[in-house]
Amino acid sequence: MDLNYSTEDLAFRAEVRAFLDAKLPQDLSDAVRLGRGLGKEGHDRWHSILNEQGWLAPTWPEEYGGCGWNAVQRHIFEEECCRAHAPRIVPFGLTMLAPVLQKFGSDEQRAHFLPKILSGEHWWCQGYSEPGAGSDLASLRTRAVRDGDHYVVNGQKTWTTLGQYANWIFCLVRTDPDAKQQEGISFLLIDMDTPGIEVRPIILLDGTHEVNEVWFTDVRVPVENLVGEENKGWTYAKYLLTHERTNIAGVGFSQAGLEAVKRLARQQIHRGRPLIENPHFAARLARAEIDLMAMATTNLRIISAAAQGQAPGVESSMLKVKGTEIRQEINDLARRAAGAYALPFASEALAGDNSTLAPPEGSDTVAAQYFNNRKLSIFGGSNEIQKNIIAKVSLGGRS
């Protein structure tokens, strides 16, 4: 295993950096750097720029329109995008659904859906969690009953991120209520414009509308929108979650966040000196940086293994746990560094009338980010569940 970058890797990094310097719109970069919301237009604009460059789908095989990059190149691209404060690509179609379709979908499904994911014509959301089925996802109760050439879907999904923008949703539904929990689930692709679907907003603690409830009442879904085999959806769901959990770790996001904390701590004065020189704050910052360096090395080990054709297993759970803990610690450090300037929420900060004093740049959104990112250790399978998976697999049990 070689964790050093090759000459070719360094040349690729320079190419990515030059592209970002030339093509990343300043207003989008500023919005990300300062913790502002992008909205659908901002996401769509960056999606289109990357697609025009041919760099939208780093993880896809070339035959489906992917970049043909190896694992190291994908890591470099993500790292440089975070360094430049590029928007995060909405993952539901590109990095969650697409790998499932490429591995388990029919030829017709791949030919129909994959190009529309790339073009942006289809904006996907994820229909997994329910009020009684979060980390215990196999307890889901949304039913799909076969009726001729259709399934009739009834039930509710919740915490549906950006569902207010989506025109398609991939759903786990129960097709055999008499089977064991994990054996009676199927994977359906559902047009959000189908009659019987209602999207209801959930307003979060920071005042934003990011997630939703999605209700299904006698929604008719064509049978050809079933992915793979009926009652085998749990297999496809686990495959998708492996990709989601690795992505949640967010090494690049943590590196960018840590640098933002350092900038903020240099501006804030504590007892006559910059906060970053305070021994207690500096020690906590150093612990977070050491943990991040260790996780980055672990991530490179997994990337090196992937470059040799090894698929991630329990390592994705390890990255999810540690990565989300580090990101939450960085959020807390930013909140503490901002002090009283962290009090306003985003809606108040945008009004611009909270204080007669000029706050440090970006400090007015750190509280909102802190509260919002409490979710990181919950979604994608809570960290407690991930620790159980790690223990079972590492100690010779079953996942």
Side-chain angles (χ1 to χ4, degrees):
M1 179 178 63
D2 185 1
L3 299 184
N4 296 309
Y5 291 112
S6 68
T7 302
E8 292 78 12
D9 295 334
L10 295 176
F12 177 74
R13 184 184 292 277
E15 180 185 3
V16 173
R17 190 167 292 187
F19 164 76
L20 291 169
D21 289 343
K23 297 294 186 179
L24 174 59
Q26 189 63 49
D27 63 315
L28 296 186
S29 178
D30 288 343
V32 173
R33 179 173 57 85
L34 298 174
R36 313 293 188 196
L38 289 179
K40 186 175 187 298
E41 185 277 334
H43 286 294
D44 285 346
R45 189 152 41 112
W46 184 233
H47 182 110
S48 178
I49 291 170
L50 287 177
N51 191 36
E52 182 178 349
Q53 178 71 13
W55 287 4
L56 180 62
T59 61
W60 291 22
E62 287 184 275
E63 64 183 293
Y64 298 123
C67 304
W69 292 345
N70 60 37
V72 175
Q73 289 174 313
R74 295 196 295 269
H75 170 75
I76 290 172
F77 179 70
E78 178 184 338
E79 195 171 63
E80 287 300 315
C81 282
C82 291
R83 180 198 63 82
H85 305 290
R88 180 177 181 235
I89 290 298
V90 178
F92 305 111
L94 279 165
T95 60
M96 294 186 191
L97 175 62
V100 172
L101 292 179
Q102 290 162 11
K103 187 172 180 65
F104 302 106
S106 65
D107 290 340
E108 293 77 13
Q109 288 171 342
R110 287 190 285 266
H112 178 74
F113 289 110
L114 294 180
K116 289 179 170 59
I117 292 174
L118 287 177
S119 70
E121 180 179 344
H122 284 178
W123 180 303
W124 286 87
C125 61
Q126 181 182 30
Y128 271 28
S129 294
E130 299 181 4
S135 292
D136 184 19
L137 188 57
S139 298
L140 67 90
R141 300 176 63 183
T142 296
R143 286 289 313 277
V145 178
R146 181 72 179 264
D147 180 23
D149 293 333
H150 290 79
Y151 288 99
V152 179
V153 179
N154 284 278
Q156 176 191 1
K157 298 294 180 179
T158 195
W159 308 123
T160 308
T161 302
L162 302 182
Q164 70 270 32
Y165 301 145
N167 51 17
W168 281 82
I169 182 171
F170 56 88
C171 276
L172 293 182
V173 295
R174 188 162 300 285
T175 43
D176 186 351
D178 298 322
K180 292 182 179 179
Q181 281 189 338
Q182 297 177 354
E183 296 176 2
I185 294 172
S186 297
F187 196 108
L188 286 182
L189 311 177
I190 304 176
D191 186 340
M192 293 282 279
D193 290 330
T194 308
I197 296 180
E198 180 184 2
V199 179
R200 302 178 186 174
I202 298 174
I203 304 304
L204 299 180
L205 186 60
D206 62 1
T208 61
H209 175 200
E210 182 183 6
V211 295
N212 306 268
E213 297 175 314
V214 181
W215 293 78
F216 301 86
T217 304
D218 294 332
V219 175
R220 297 185 66 81
V221 181
V223 169
E224 56 264 29
N225 286 7
L226 171 72
V227 175
E229 299 179 47
E230 185 174 284
N231 298 325
K232 299 295 184 183
W234 190 250
T235 298
Y236 318 141
K238 288 197 300 181
Y239 182 80
L240 182 150
L241 285 171
T242 297
H243 289 266
E244 180 185 16
R245 287 166 184 162
T246 304
N247 192 46
I248 290 171
V251 174
F253 293 107
S254 291
Q255 290 170 335
L258 191 68
E259 290 305 310
V261 171
K262 290 179 179 179
R263 287 195 300 270
L264 187 58
R266 291 188 188 101
Q267 297 176 60
Q268 291 289 74
I269 301 301
H270 178 74
R271 296 183 178 177
R273 301 184 65 83
L275 178 62
I276 199 167
E277 297 178 11
N278 177 275
H280 297 292
F281 186 86
R284 188 169 168 185
L285 188 65
R287 283 196 298 271
E289 187 160 17
I290 290 167
D291 284 347
L292 178 55
M293 291 171 66
M295 187 182 71
T297 301
T298 301
N299 194 49
L300 286 172
R301 288 172 52 205
I302 295 171
I303 289 169
S304 178
Q308 300 172 37
Q310 301 177 32
V314 70
E315 295 86 357
S316 64
S317 291
M318 295 167 61
L319 284 176
K320 197 272 179 180
V321 171
K322 196 62 183 177
T324 55
E325 289 177 349
I326 291 172
R327 289 179 69 183
Q328 289 176 339
E329 172 67 2
I330 290 171
N331 287 146
D332 191 41
L333 284 168
R335 181 179 62 88
R336 290 176 180 275
Y341 292 113
L343 287 174
F345 282 160
S347 58
E348 298 171 315
L350 292 175
D353 60 357
N354 293 88
S355 174
T356 58
L357 300 176
E361 187 179 52
S363 62
D364 52 5
T365 58
V366 295
Q369 293 179 61
Y370 169 83
F371 285 116
N372 187 280
N373 281 343
R374 305 316 296 168
K375 69 188 179 187
L376 295 177
S377 52
I378 300 173
F379 69 53
S382 72
N383 283 9
E384 290 77 12
I385 296 294
Q386 300 313 308
K387 290 174 182 178
N388 285 343
I389 293 172
I390 293 167
K392 288 180 180 180
V393 174
S394 299
L395 298 176
R398 296 185 302 172
S399 61

